[in-house]
Amino acid sequence: MGSLQTPTNLSNKSCLCVSGRVVRGLRVERQVGLGFSWLLKGRRNRKVQSLCVTSSVSDGSSIAENKKVSEGLLLGAERDGSGSVVGFQLIPHSVAGDATMVESHDIVANDRDDLSEDTEEMEETPIKLTFNIIFVTAEAAPYSKTGGLGDVCGSLPMALAARGHRVMVVSPRYLNGGPSDEKYANAVDLDVRATVHCFGDAQEVAFYHEYRAGVDWVFVDHSSYCRPGTPYGDIYGAFGDNQFRFTLLSHAACEAPLVLPLGGFTYGEKCLFLANDWHAALVPLLLAAKYRPYGVYKDARSIVAIHNIAHQGVEPAVTYNNLGLPPQWYGAVEWIFPTWARAHALDTGETVNVLKGAIAVADRILTVSQGYSWEITTPEGGYGLHELLSSRQSVLNGITNGIDVNDWNPSTDEHIASHYSINDLSGKVQCKTDLQKELGLPIRPDCPLIGFIGRLDYQKGVDIILSAIPELMQNDVQVVMLGSGEKQYEDWMRHTENLFKDKFRAWVGFNVPVSHRITAGCDILLMPSRFEPCGLNQLYAMRYGTIPIVHSTGGLRDTVKDFNPYAQEGNGEGTGWTFSPLTSEKLLDTLKLAIGTYTEHKSSWEGLMKRGMGRDYSWENAAVQYEQVFTWAFIDPPYVR
């Protein structure tokens, strides 16, 4: 289908009337009806104004000529200061000027609110809205990454850009004097400086820019981002000035769409800000408190995306003045700890919590799975914010993360010994024997090989594996664990390897190629996490035909479907096993069931593998769901105090 054009000179153009009919090869889907069904409210049984969209027709012909349009509502182009189209708006026919129009059929509402009806399948792309989207994040792969947040903000923007949206990602320009600095080699200084007022002083920030994969990657440059370590800390712990560093990021991100001429013109004020986790949670507050009272960003919207609610950006109450918010907005971020959580008897428990403020004023709230969106509304999963989140449940949604299906693809993966696919699984056996050889384990293709990949801490349930290992080692299995974290668990892994030299291997640290080889070579992947907002390793495992055994929580429960060998007329269904409660006994019971299926029911095991490999894990699938939430965000007016 041709590009949308302003309804002025329409020679050799076709006119699509949103009436539920197909006109000249253009199809109106129910998606359009949802967007404009409000036009029919209160107008039943009488003539309703028409809605026209112009579109080029490949053969150059027009639908009708020399006809007049009466009572037309036109979808006209909205342009920014440079004259570029940034959106479309409804224009009454009375103000449409003297433009020559082709015929627009009248829409008659005969006691129905739908604007669409079933039509024959056409090849043309359905009409959809596009947005100017600003991701604000502390990390974005491949430039910076410590976990799932970096993966999301490195992949989702590209998927949205591929679907026609204009997308900017704003994150810090981390420089630590090492090889990782080369990741910013293609980012150029835009020679634009912005002054940010926070922490009692004026801070100047610079902006670097790289255009890659259809996305504007913008990096905020400031001396506070130039130091050894991760984005959040070093070997001595978290940086003491993280509140300053991410307050600076939020202020700079709000300025970026206004001052950066990317591709020749700025993003402008009509943007959708996607603030990720507490590091960017100040963005919705700044829009409401700093900009809208002065008429700036009055048409912008904000969404706060919660990747891990355990981290909320809580700081002492005396730091409020550092945030750059007006004094009267203190209540939005005020947070008082309960008596039992205070450090001592004289502690008043008064703090500021920027994530709390973002949840209160953002237009929509997103989490990275449907299960997690429910869990954070409970006292057990909400970390003190469950009541506030419950009060905003009408704007709370969960969308499961996607994965990079090009990087994680067993048929092309450069890190594994042999390629394989859902139609030819023979290469997986080669990957298994190659992994056993690499790790120094006895090469036994028929022995169940169980893997774990992840951070070694309490959240990931490593203590549950620790308790289960002595009994598990009595079975004919092999186990490999890859990860780093708390020293007690690292030391335990090394000790266990010495005890079970023919059955257990520990790889302390993290290595991307090895993680790919473990995912491809293992038969089973363990994820006994206490809570898991989404989880990615179980998605990687299923993509590679490795069966996940997971604790029934958050995104793990959403993505892993329990195996039922009797469903589908005996063909079976499911992609793995979930277990609850989180105990070593329940984990062992589930493992024994899985091991029995592996050794005694090969056809059922192959069905498990193929069902997991056949699922759609792409970011394209997630991007479609994000678009729906973006549309909802613009239905209601933004927060104004």
Side-chain angles (χ1 to χ4, degrees):
M1 187 173 75
S3 59
L4 296 177
Q5 303 179 32
T6 310
T8 53
N9 183 8
L10 298 181
S11 58
N12 294 328
K13 303 287 188 244
S14 69
C15 181
L16 168 65
C17 298
V18 183
S19 60
R21 295 192 297 275
V22 176
V23 181
R24 296 296 296 177
L26 296 176
R27 180 184 176 199
V28 181
E29 298 234 349
R30 193 164 299 274
Q31 174 184 356
V32 178
L34 287 171
F36 296 101
S37 61
W38 56 270
L39 284 171
L40 293 177
K41 292 182 180 178
R43 297 182 179 181
R44 293 183 176 178
N45 299 321
R46 63 188 179 91
K47 188 178 293 184
V48 179
Q49 293 174 315
S50 300
L51 174 67
C52 288
V53 180
T54 63
S55 176
S56 301
V57 178
S58 58
D59 62 5
S61 62
S62 61
I63 298 172
E65 298 178 359
N66 302 321
K67 303 283 183 78
K68 291 184 68 175
V69 177
S70 62
E71 297 188 63
L73 268 179
L74 308 177
L75 193 61
E78 179 181 350
R79 300 176 181 272
D80 61 12
S82 67
S84 300
V85 175
V86 297
F88 295 88
Q89 59 185 349
L90 294 175
I91 305 174
H93 181 264
S94 59
V95 297
D98 297 326
T100 302
M101 301 290 296
V102 297
E103 181 179 13
S104 169
H105 298 281
D106 293 320
I107 303 173
V108 179
N110 294 318
D111 291 311
R112 63 180 189 233
D113 292 325
D114 251 333
L115 287 177
S116 64
E117 56 189 29
D118 292 335
T119 61
E120 58 181 315
E121 288 295 328
M122 307 301 292
E123 296 180 356
E124 305 293 343
T125 304
I127 300 168
K128 69 182 184 69
L129 297 173
T130 58
F131 302 95
N132 290 341
I133 306 166
I134 316 297
F135 281 77
V136 189
T137 176
E139 52 184 277
Y143 307 100
S144 54
K145 175 187 170 182
T146 64
L149 174 61
D151 286 321
V152 173
C153 295
S155 300
L156 178 58
M158 294 188 291
L160 289 168
R163 294 181 59 80
H165 304 283
R166 192 180 184 202
V167 185
M168 178 197 303
V169 179
V170 183
S171 66
R173 182 171 177 256
Y174 299 111
L175 299 177
N176 57 25
S180 62
D181 293 358
E182 292 299 317
K183 295 176 181 177
Y184 300 99
N186 294 326
V188 298
D189 189 349
L190 292 174
D191 200 26
V192 175
R193 302 294 181 266
T195 301
V196 172
H197 295 276
C198 62
F199 279 73
D201 199 1
Q203 308 289 336
E204 185 178 86
V205 298
F207 297 95
Y208 282 71
H209 173 249
E210 178 182 357
Y211 184 76
R212 179 178 62 84
V215 177
D216 291 303
W217 305 89
V218 173
F219 306 104
V220 180
D221 186 55
H222 188 269
S223 58
S224 64
Y225 303 131
C226 302
R227 61 182 66 165
T230 72
Y232 314 114
D234 54 21
I235 59 174
Y236 303 104
F239 295 131
D241 61 345
N242 275 343
Q243 185 190 43
F244 168 75
R245 299 166 74 231
F246 296 119
T247 295
L248 202 65
L249 171 66
S250 297
H251 279 270
C254 290
E255 290 294 309
L258 304 176
V259 302
L260 301 183
L262 306 177
F265 59 98
T266 66
Y267 275 60
E269 296 181 28
K270 193 169 184 179
C271 296
L272 177 68
F273 286 87
L274 191 61
N276 292 274
D277 271 346
W278 78 264
H279 323 101
L282 199 57
V283 169
L285 290 159
L286 290 172
L287 295 178
K290 178 182 176 182
Y291 291 94
R292 288 197 189 111
Y294 301 96
V296 183
Y297 284 133
K298 61 183 182 298
D299 294 321
R301 298 294 189 274
S302 63
I303 297 174
V304 59
I306 301 173
H307 300 257
N308 190 339
I309 202 169
H311 306 288
Q312 300 176 7
V314 178
E315 296 287 349
V318 294
T319 65
Y320 174 78
N321 292 332
N322 297 335
L323 301 178
L325 294 172
Q328 63 269 27
W329 277 77
Y330 174 74
V333 296
E334 181 182 22
W335 178 252
I336 300 178
F337 277 100
T339 304
W340 60 266
R342 300 176 190 178
H344 49 76
L346 298 179
D347 185 1
T348 62
E350 296 180 4
T351 63
V352 292
N353 184 329
V354 291
L355 184 60
K356 174 223 171 185
I359 292 170
V361 306
D363 297 289
R364 304 289 305 189
I365 305 166
L366 277 175
T367 67
V368 289
S369 70
Q370 292 182 5
Y372 195 57
S373 69
W374 170 79
E375 286 183 4
I376 63 176
T377 64
T378 67
E380 296 80 9
Y383 284 81
L385 295 177
H386 55 282
E387 292 182 356
L388 175 61
L389 286 160
S390 295
S391 71
R392 302 217 66 201
Q393 206 157 13
S394 62
V395 296
L396 172 62
N397 299 97
I399 299 174
T400 302
N401 287 339
I403 63 173
D404 187 335
V405 294
N406 295 316
D407 187 32
W408 290 91
N409 186 347
S411 63
T412 59
D413 194 333
E414 62 183 13
H415 301 302
I416 63 178
S418 178
H419 294 153
Y420 59 96
S421 68
I422 190 173
N423 298 316
D424 181 8
L425 295 171
S426 59
K428 186 167 176 62
V429 178
Q430 180 62 39
C431 289
K432 180 177 181 177
T433 56
D434 186 79
L435 179 64
Q436 290 172 327
K437 181 179 180 180
E438 179 182 2
L439 298 174
L441 289 168
I443 299 177
R444 300 180 57 200
D446 293 330
C447 178
L449 182 56
I450 303 169
F452 170 88
I453 303 171
R455 193 171 62 251
L456 304 179
D457 63 14
Y458 182 75
Q459 181 209 330
K460 297 299 182 181
V462 180
D463 58 308
I464 303 298
I465 300 177
L466 184 153
S467 300
I469 280 293
E471 184 174 340
L472 181 61
M473 291 292 97
Q474 304 307 312
N475 296 276
D476 185 22
V477 298
Q478 295 175 342
V479 177
V480 55
M481 295 183 66
L482 168 69
S484 62
E486 296 182 19
K487 187 176 184 301
Q488 59 172 326
Y489 295 128
E490 292 181 353
D491 292 342
W492 166 78
M493 282 171 54
R494 296 186 181 100
H495 176 67
T496 304
E497 181 175 317
N498 290 328
L499 289 178
F500 305 100
K501 293 184 178 180
D502 290 338
K503 289 190 171 185
F504 188 95
R505 283 295 179 270
W507 189 300
V508 177
F510 191 76
N511 184 294
V512 172
V514 173
S515 71
H516 280 246
R517 291 196 285 274
I518 291 176
T519 302
C522 284
D523 301 298
I524 298 170
L525 184 80
L526 295 183
M527 291 189 69
S529 303
R530 280 182 165 77
F531 68 92
E532 197 67 69
C534 177
L536 293 176
N537 286 334
Q538 84 278 11
L539 301 180
Y540 299 150
M542 290 186 287
R543 173 88 165 152
Y544 279 64
T546 300
I547 309 306
I549 295 180
V550 304
H551 177 219
S552 183
T553 183
L556 301 181
R557 181 175 56 240
D558 287 352
T559 54
V560 178
K561 303 306 176 185
D562 275 309
F563 173 54
N564 180 356
Y566 305 108
Q568 304 295 324
E569 299 181 352
N571 293 319
E573 67 178 9
T575 57
W577 282 271
T578 66
F579 68 93
S580 184
L582 182 61
T583 63
S584 58
E585 292 79 13
K586 193 63 176 178
L587 173 61
L588 284 167
D589 289 343
T590 308
L591 273 169
K592 289 175 182 177
L593 180 60
I595 292 168
T597 304
Y598 174 83
T599 56
E600 300 173 16
H601 303 281
K602 293 294 185 181
S603 60
S604 293
W605 192 266
E606 184 174 325
L608 274 167
M609 295 170 64
K610 289 187 174 182
R611 283 190 294 274
M613 296 178 74
R615 291 179 56 184
D616 181 6
Y617 305 106
S618 69
W619 275 110
E620 170 74 13
N621 184 38
V624 174
Q625 300 175 64
Y626 271 87
E627 287 176 338
Q628 180 62 77
V629 176
F630 296 164
T631 303
W632 291 337
F634 279 90
I635 291 177
D636 296 321
Y639 184 93
V640 177
R641 185 170 179 174

